């Protein structure tokens, strides 16, 4: 399972670069910090291949992008605006991030 970690620094250019990497099938899971914010949540990060997950509490500064084939269970009791915690599952097993 490929995992990327990125700090976007609220940059549209950096977000676009991440989407290009996802288009080349370089990651199953992306750990995101300093994402761009809009009134609809994290902006600039929409793909057909990955789901976007973020905490719904406060001003979101962290998130996850997870390949659609993975099942994601968000853990809101141990997540906040700075930390997103989830359990991911696929046919090979599970991963906690």
């Amino acid at each position: 399972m490929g995992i990327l970690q990125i700090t976007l620094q609220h940059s549209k250019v950096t977000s676009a670069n991440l989407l290009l990497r996802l288009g080349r099938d370089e990651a199953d899971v992306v750990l995101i910090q300093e994402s761009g914010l809009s009134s609809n949540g994290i902006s600039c990060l929409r793909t057909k291949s990955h789901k976007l997950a973020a905490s719904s509490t406060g001003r979101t500064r962290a998130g996850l992008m997870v390949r659609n084939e993975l099942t994601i269970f968000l853990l809101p009791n141990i997540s906040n605006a700075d930390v997103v915690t989830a359990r991911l599952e696929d046919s090979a097993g599970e991963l906690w991030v």
Side-chain angles (χ1 to χ4, degrees), residues 10 14 42 48-49 52-53 57-58 66 78 86 95:
H10 310 285
T14 310
I42 297 175
K48 292 182 180 179
S49 62
L52 182 61
T57 61
V66 179
I78 51 177
L95 173 69

Side-chain angles (χ1 to χ4, degrees), residues 73-86:
F73 299 96
L74 289 176
L75 304 171
N77 292 343
I78 51 177
S79 297
N80 58 40
D82 297 313
V83 177
V84 178
T85 308

Side-chain angles (χ1 to χ4, degrees), residues 2-41:
I3 299 175
L4 291 176
Q5 184 279 329
I6 189 166
T7 301
L8 296 177
Q9 299 178 336
H10 310 285
S11 168
K12 290 182 180 180
V13 173
T14 310
S15 299
N17 190 20
L18 171 61
L19 295 178
L20 288 173
R21 293 188 73 171
L22 293 177
R24 293 191 304 257
D25 202 27
E26 292 188 21
D28 299 305
V29 179
V30 182
L31 311 174
I32 303 167
Q33 295 147 350
E34 299 290 329
S35 57
L37 294 170
S38 71
S39 59
N40 298 324

Side-chain angles (χ1 to χ4, degrees), residues 59-74:
R59 185 177 165 97
T60 303
R61 291 177 290 271
L64 298 171
M65 290 188 79
V66 179
R67 184 174 301 286
N68 290 333
E69 291 79 20
L70 295 171
T71 303
I72 182 169
F73 299 96
L74 289 176

